[in-house]
Amino acid sequence: MRRKLPWLSMALLTVAPVFGQERAIDTLRSKITIHVAKSGLLSAAAHNHTINAPIATGTMRESAPPHIAFTVEAAKMTVEPDPKIDAKTQATIQADMEDMTLEAKKYPQIVFRSSRIEKLPSGEWKVDGNLILHGVTKPLSLTVKQTGDAYITHTVLKQTDFGIKPISVAGGIIKVKNEIELDFQIFPASK
């Protein structure tokens, strides 16, 4: 029995790399940028917004079987300053996003976990998974490409699919579009 243990250990060490190594996501370089557009009859009086959603934690595995999971803390998302807006209005927009749109105290985390990743003939990847936003879990399918060390993708989500009511004022004359655009740029941490 003692002679078999070293061979078993060697076999396990040989097989372990096949399953790939989980790596942290580089949270300092990785980012999610959300683009929110205006609509409504008087939309000219409204503003488009760009929101930064920093990744708080996450892991990825690039080799077989590939996997990615990450978390965004809703309270740490920030609306980029708009030079056309005064500081008081900017603070109101930030507070409305946290309190009315995201309800960050009730739903503090936004989570994505892949369920399947498939390499496409084009060299891109099809990433299927689940997005948990505002307490609602929905499937999400993305086409991801690698640019340098970054994995990038773009998608469009409807706020109402996640139980979020888009902000509307003056009876809907000025409102935020239901569709929001998201740009992902994910970097693995250095080895």
Side-chain angles (χ1 to χ4, degrees):
M1 180 72 167
R2 287 184 185 175
R3 290 184 183 170
K4 290 183 181 179
L5 286 179
W7 291 104
L8 178 61
S9 298
M10 288 299 288
L12 288 174
L13 288 173
T14 305
V15 172
V18 172
F19 291 106
Q21 184 178 8
E22 213 67 9
R23 292 173 64 188
I25 289 175
D26 184 338
T27 57
L28 296 176
R29 295 189 324 161
S30 299
K31 64 181 180 175
I32 302 169
T33 306
I34 304 164
H35 305 279
V36 181
K38 59 191 176 181
S39 69
L41 184 62
L42 295 179
S43 63
H47 309 281
N48 293 326
H49 301 291
T50 301
I51 300 165
N52 297 312
I55 295 173
T57 61
T59 58
M60 62 189 303
R61 185 173 46 242
E62 296 168 300
S63 56
H67 174 76
I68 185 165
F70 57 82
T71 301
V72 171
E73 294 178 17
K76 293 194 176 175
M77 293 172 61
T78 57
V79 179
E80 285 187 6
D82 184 336
K84 297 177 257 171
I85 300 174
D86 62 75
K88 183 179 177 187
T89 303
Q90 182 73 33
T92 300
I93 292 167
Q94 179 71 35
D96 286 351
M97 178 190 70
E98 291 174 17
D99 301 335
M100 295 169 59
T101 304
L102 295 173
E103 296 182 83
K105 289 179 183 161
K106 187 174 181 181
Y107 307 107
Q109 295 185 329
I110 301 165
V111 177
F112 177 80
R113 286 189 191 94
S114 67
S115 54
R116 182 170 187 240
I117 299 178
E118 175 186 358
K119 182 110 180 189
L120 302 174
S122 63
E124 298 174 320
W125 289 268
K126 181 178 182 223
V127 178
D128 295 323
N130 288 306
L131 177 65
I132 304 168
L133 169 62
H134 203 250
V136 175
T137 303
K138 291 280 184 183
L140 185 62
S141 186
L142 305 162
T143 300
V144 177
K145 69 179 182 176
Q146 186 172 6
T147 303
D149 340 351
Y151 293 91
I152 61 171
T153 190
H154 174 88
T155 193
V156 176
L157 300 177
K158 289 185 177 181
Q159 296 180 73
T160 53
D161 287 348
F162 293 91
I164 297 172
K165 183 179 178 186
I167 300 254
S168 177
V169 284
I173 294 174
I174 301 174
K175 58 186 174 181
V176 169
K177 283 186 178 179
N178 187 26
E179 295 80 15
I180 58 173
E181 295 187 32
L182 293 89
D183 292 313
F184 297 81
Q185 188 176 25
I186 310 292
F187 291 88
S190 299
K191 290 181 182 183

